[in-house]
């Protein structure tokens, strides 16, 4: 018996050696992701106790991102491991449920990151647009509620994926268990909808916020320079660090978005099973964004460098890898 054409194409998408390489690379990135985000959680948990069981809105959103990133990487790697081991698709239903959870957590990571960019844009932009100022105030007063709603929306939007996966498992036998190869108008429409709502819409929100931040930053720097008559370069200190963090997050997100849309187009247009590549790109994104979040907050970065250098002190052969904890102070120019 010959397989249907769409199954023959998808089965040769990745060779066993390529799948094993993706599995190894994803595992390494997953370790880094968990490390960076667990560090963020531990610091936020300590701050939560110091502030009498209270976290600032920015730290609350970062906590949501960290939880979603850790859960996404752990479940993703568990799913990839099961697919490698379960050759005969004995646990195809379990793999389908895991994949739904993976995609729902990916949805949560994307939208929570966009929410963080939105939050900082409202704080950094001095002159908000009055038509939705009230909406901003309502959202920012209920940050924890918004984060919880994002997680729930991620699960509900990805739940129909279980039907697509279950159908493909039953029809594909032991060849493509756990794959997403939609058939018919309904399956294609749903996959396209999921790509738009989970990737493109939060990307548009982040681009809008980054443009707003950049525009108002340029105006603010120009006013500062004019007020000092160009005597010295304007300095924003911690505020500038947060701005860099937000803009870097947007750049990292856009790079991931291009790669993710490419792999999803393979699924929709060419019926290729490229979930392994999608998970690899997601792991790369969560690793990079976790590092950017640590660098973006000065207290996080300072303590992270102290811990990192203390670890290297235990191994004298690694002293060359130490990072200076503070910049060299420039000699001050004598006043005339």
């Amino acid at each position: 018996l010959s397989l249907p054409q769409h199954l023959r194409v998808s089965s040769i998408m990745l060779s066993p050696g390529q799948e094993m390489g993706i599995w190894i690379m994803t595992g390494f990135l997953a370790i880094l992701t968990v490390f960076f985000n667990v560090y963020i959680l531990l610091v936020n948990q300590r701050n939560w106790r110091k502030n009498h069981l209270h976290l600032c809105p920015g730290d609350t959103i970062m906590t949501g991102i960290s939880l979603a990133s850790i859960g996404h990487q752990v479940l993703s790697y568990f799913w990839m491991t099961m697919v490698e081991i379960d050759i005969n698709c004995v646990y195809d239903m379990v793999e389908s449920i895991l994949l739904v959870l993976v995609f729902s957590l990916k949805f949560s990571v994307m939208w929570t990151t966009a929410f963080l960019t939105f939050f900082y844009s409202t704080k950094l932009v001095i002159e908000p647009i009055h038509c939705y100022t009230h909406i901003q105030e309502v959202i920012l007063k209920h940050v924890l509620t918004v984060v919880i709603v994002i997680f729930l929306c991620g699960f509900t939007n990805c739940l129909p994926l279980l039907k697509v996966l279950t159908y493909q498992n039953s029809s594909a036998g032991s060849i493509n268990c756990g794959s997403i190869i939609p058939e018919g108008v309904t399956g294609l429409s749903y996959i396209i909808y999921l790509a738009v709502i989970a990737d493109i819409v939060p990307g548009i929100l982040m681009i809008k916020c980054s443009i707003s931040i950049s525009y108002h930053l340029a105006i603010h720097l120009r006013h500062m320079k004019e007020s000092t008559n160009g005597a010295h370069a304007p300095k924003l200190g911690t505020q500038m660090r947060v701005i860099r963090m937000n803009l870097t997050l947007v750049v990292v997100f856009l790079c991931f978005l291009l790669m993710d849309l490419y792999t999803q187009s393979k699924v929709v247009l060419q019926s290729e099973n490229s979930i392994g590549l999608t998970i690899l790109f997601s792991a790369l994104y969560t690793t990079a964004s976790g590092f950017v979040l640590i660098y973006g907050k000065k207290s996080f970065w300072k303590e992270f460098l102290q811990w990192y250098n203390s670890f290297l002190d235990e191994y004298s052969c690694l002293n060359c890898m130490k990072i200076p904890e503070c910049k060299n102070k420039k000699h001050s120019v004598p006043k005339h």
Side-chain angles (χ1 to χ4, degrees), residues 82 86 88-98 169 177:
M82 284 195 67
D86 186 23
N88 296 321
C89 297
V90 177
Y91 303 103
D92 55 348
M93 192 62 188
V94 176
E95 292 162 7
S96 298
I97 295 173
L98 281 174
N169 286 337
C177 53

Side-chain angles (χ1 to χ4, degrees), residues 232-304:
H232 58 80
K235 297 179 181 179
L236 295 177
T238 305
Q239 192 178 22
M240 193 64 199
R241 194 182 192 93
V242 174
I243 291 172
R244 288 198 197 100
M245 178 190 73
N246 278 271
L247 297 181
T248 306
L249 279 176
V250 174
V251 172
V252 172
F253 182 90
L254 292 179
C255 293
F256 163 75
L257 180 61
L258 293 175
M259 295 185 291
D260 194 48
L261 290 179
Y262 171 76
T263 55
Q264 293 198 42
S265 68
K266 291 289 185 180
V267 173
V268 175
L269 301 178
Q270 300 180 19
S271 297
E272 292 183 353
N273 182 17
S274 54
I275 303 178
L277 285 175
T278 301
I279 291 178
L280 175 62
F281 294 150
S282 300
L284 185 61
Y285 168 75
T286 52
T287 302
S289 61
F291 180 80
V292 171
L293 288 176
I294 293 175
Y295 177 78
K297 198 161 185 180
K298 189 174 181 179
S299 58
F300 281 20
W301 181 246
K302 185 178 180 180
E303 188 170 346
F304 181 80

Side-chain angles (χ1 to χ4, degrees), residues 12-58:
I12 60 175
M13 168 62 179
L14 295 173
S15 66
Q18 290 173 328
E19 290 180 354
M20 181 62 66
I22 290 175
W23 180 71
I24 294 172
M25 291 175 63
T26 304
F28 174 73
L29 292 172
I31 293 173
L32 291 178
T33 295
V34 172
F35 173 75
F36 290 145
N37 287 282
V38 165
Y39 171 79
I40 293 173
L41 288 177
L42 291 175
V43 176
N44 280 338
Q45 192 265 349
R46 186 188 60 193
N47 294 338
W48 178 69
R49 291 192 174 188
K50 281 186 177 179
N51 297 330
H52 308 288
L53 307 183
H54 176 74
L55 271 181
C56 67

Side-chain angles (χ1 to χ4, degrees), residues 22-290:
I22 290 175
W23 180 71
I24 294 172
M25 291 175 63
T26 304
F28 174 73
L29 292 172
I31 293 173
L32 291 178
T33 295
V34 172
F35 173 75
F36 290 145
N37 287 282
V38 165
Y39 171 79
I40 293 173
L41 288 177
L42 291 175
V43 176
N44 280 338
Q45 192 265 349
R46 186 188 60 193
N47 294 338
W48 178 69
R49 291 192 174 188
K50 281 186 177 179
N51 297 330
H52 308 288
L53 307 183
H54 176 74
L55 271 181
C56 67
D59 288 344
T60 301
I61 301 173
M62 284 187 182
T63 300
I65 296 174
S66 297
L67 289 173
S69 297
I70 293 172
H72 177 267
Q73 285 307 302
V74 171
L75 292 179
S76 294
Y77 201 64
F78 186 44
W79 175 84
M80 293 182 73
T81 304
M82 284 195 67
V83 170
E84 290 292 329
I85 297 175
D86 186 23
I87 301 176
N88 296 321
C89 297
V90 177
Y91 303 103
D92 55 348
M93 192 62 188
V94 176
E95 292 162 7
S96 298
I97 295 173
L98 281 174
L99 200 56
V100 170
L101 293 176
V102 166
F103 274 81
S104 65
L105 286 172
K106 175 191 168 187
F107 179 102
S108 301
V109 171
M110 301 298 106
W111 272 100
T112 313
T113 306
F115 183 40
L116 180 69
T117 308
F118 169 80
F119 167 74
Y120 279 117
S121 70
T122 57
K123 290 188 66 177
L124 297 172
V125 174
I126 302 173
E127 299 176 359
I129 301 174
H130 294 289
C131 63
Y132 61 87
T133 301
H134 183 65
I135 300 176
Q136 288 180 344
E137 292 176 354
V138 172
I139 292 175
L140 297 179
K141 283 181 180 177
H142 303 87
V143 169
L144 180 59
T145 303
V146 174
V147 172
I148 294 174
V149 168
I150 288 174
F151 275 77
L152 293 176
C153 287
F155 181 73
T156 54
N157 276 279
C158 295
L159 194 58
L161 189 63
L162 187 60
K163 184 177 180 181
V164 177
L165 287 166
T166 304
Y167 175 77
Q168 291 301 329
N169 286 337
S170 60
S171 64
S174 62
I175 302 297
N176 277 304
C177 53
S179 64
I180 302 177
I181 306 174
E183 289 182 338
V185 178
T186 304
L188 288 174
S189 301
Y190 172 70
I191 297 299
I192 293 173
Y193 162 78
L194 193 61
V196 171
I197 195 67
D199 292 336
I200 297 177
V201 175
I204 293 173
L205 175 61
M206 293 183 73
I207 291 173
K208 182 267 171 192
C209 293
S210 65
I211 293 174
S212 180
I213 291 173
S214 301
Y215 174 74
H216 287 276
L217 172 65
I219 294 176
H220 186 54
L221 290 176
R222 187 181 66 184
H223 289 167
M224 291 179 65
K225 192 172 183 179
E226 290 175 353
S227 64
T228 58
N229 295 321
H232 58 80
K235 297 179 181 179
L236 295 177
T238 305
Q239 192 178 22
M240 193 64 199
R241 194 182 192 93
V242 174
I243 291 172
R244 288 198 197 100
M245 178 190 73
N246 278 271
L247 297 181
T248 306
L249 279 176
V250 174
V251 172
V252 172
F253 182 90
L254 292 179
C255 293
F256 163 75
L257 180 61
L258 293 175
M259 295 185 291
D260 194 48
L261 290 179
Y262 171 76
T263 55
Q264 293 198 42
S265 68
K266 291 289 185 180
V267 173
V268 175
L269 301 178
Q270 300 180 19
S271 297
E272 292 183 353
N273 182 17
S274 54
I275 303 178
L277 285 175
T278 301
I279 291 178
L280 175 62
F281 294 150
S282 300
L284 185 61
Y285 168 75
T286 52
T287 302
S289 61

